[in-house]
Amino acid sequence: MKTLCLLSFVLLGAGAIAADGDNTLANLKTAYETRRAALTATRDEAVGKTLAAYKAELGTLLANVRQQGNLDYVLAIEAEQKRLDAGGSAPTEPAAKEFAHLRRIQWAARQAEDKADKELGESLAALRKQYLDSLEKLEKTLVAANRIEEAKAARGEKETVEAMSAMCGHWMWLEQFDRFHRPDGSIWSATDNRRVGSWEYLGTDKDGRKFRVETHGKYIETVTMSVDGKSFW
């Protein structure tokens, strides 16, 4: 099982993440989460506008196709509308070749969403690096000040961020299900772009990183990611 991690970014400031006042773990974490939320919100707003425009184009196209009396085309558009209403995103697979205009607007929506995701991925990766650098510096500062328990907490946060980064991206889950694991803890089907579940990091032991995975509202598993980050069991 292999992953291609998508995370990354346009910086909201130069240098390592720093919080106002003392750079305690809580302050650094708050600064990181605030920046990450802002980046994600920017992506979501862009994708929301893309999907709204796509839905409007589908409605216009459907009205035109009905006038033509093309039942197959009507059914294809209605199926796409239903998928979107169920929480789907821009399509990953285009409609049949005979539905040329539908394919064109599908391609435009997919291109726009892919661009937003790529920019978010680059932004989050850069932000994450800043945060990890800041945590490493904080750990050393705390050890030098003999604040060992706080240093351990800083290291624990660093390990958590690294583990979540390893989980994010494109996975062929259990060699059967093509999925994307996103930074917000959601799981999406890569075949039809529907949200199918959620995941969270539980901790690390000698065997590897532990995650709780829930899919389709009923399948709940605790899985272990190998130390090299390439397989699960």
Side-chain angles (χ1 to χ4, degrees), residues 30-70:
T30 296
Y32 172 64
E33 294 293 347
T34 299
R35 292 188 187 187
R36 189 172 69 167
L39 290 167
T40 302
T42 298
R43 177 266 177 201
D44 290 347
E45 181 180 3
V47 171
K49 290 179 179 178
T50 292
L51 295 181
Y54 177 47
K55 288 180 181 180
E57 288 183 301
L58 285 174
T60 300
L61 180 60
L62 180 59
N64 292 335
V65 169
R66 280 176 179 156
Q67 295 299 317
Q68 299 169 12
N70 189 330

Side-chain angles (χ1 to χ4, degrees), residues 4-12 32 35-44 46-47 112-130 161 164-166 168-170 180-184:
L4 297 174
C5 238
L6 290 178
L7 283 182
S8 306
F9 157 92
V10 175
L11 295 179
L12 296 179
Y32 172 64
R35 292 188 187 187
R36 189 172 69 167
L39 290 167
T40 302
T42 298
R43 177 266 177 201
D44 290 347
V47 171
E113 185 167 328
D114 285 348
K115 180 176 183 292
D117 286 341
K118 181 176 183 293
E119 291 174 350
L120 175 64
E122 292 170 351
S123 298
L124 289 176
L127 177 64
R128 185 175 64 250
K129 183 180 185 304
Q130 288 185 344
V161 172
M164 293 180 69
S165 171
C168 290
H170 189 184
F180 280 103
H181 291 65
R182 294 186 176 172
D184 63 0

Side-chain angles (χ1 to χ4, degrees), residues 151-219:
K152 288 164 61 177
R155 176 173 293 186
E157 173 66 6
K158 183 172 180 286
E159 291 174 351
T160 295
V161 172
E162 290 171 336
M164 293 180 69
S165 171
M167 182 63 140
C168 290
H170 189 184
W171 288 90
M172 182 62 72
W173 190 261
L174 302 178
E175 307 298 339
Q176 300 178 59
F177 309 107
D178 199 8
R179 293 177 175 172
F180 280 103
H181 291 65
R182 294 186 176 172
D184 63 0
S186 62
I187 301 173
W188 293 70
S189 167
T191 55
D192 58 8
N193 254 22
R194 291 181 303 108
R195 179 168 179 164
V196 296
S198 61
W199 63 274
E200 64 176 320
Y201 172 62
L202 300 178
T204 299
D205 61 20
K206 62 181 179 60
D207 295 320
R209 295 159 171 158
K210 306 289 185 182
F211 297 88
R212 180 184 184 275
V213 176
E214 179 178 347
T215 53
H216 302 289
K218 57 183 178 179
Y219 301 111

Side-chain angles (χ1 to χ4, degrees), residues 135-152:
L135 288 171
E136 186 172 347
K137 291 177 182 178
L138 176 62
E139 178 188 324
K140 292 178 179 179
T141 299
L142 292 170
V143 171
N146 198 30
R147 295 159 62 179
I148 304 304
E149 291 304 313
E150 292 175 79
K152 288 164 61 177

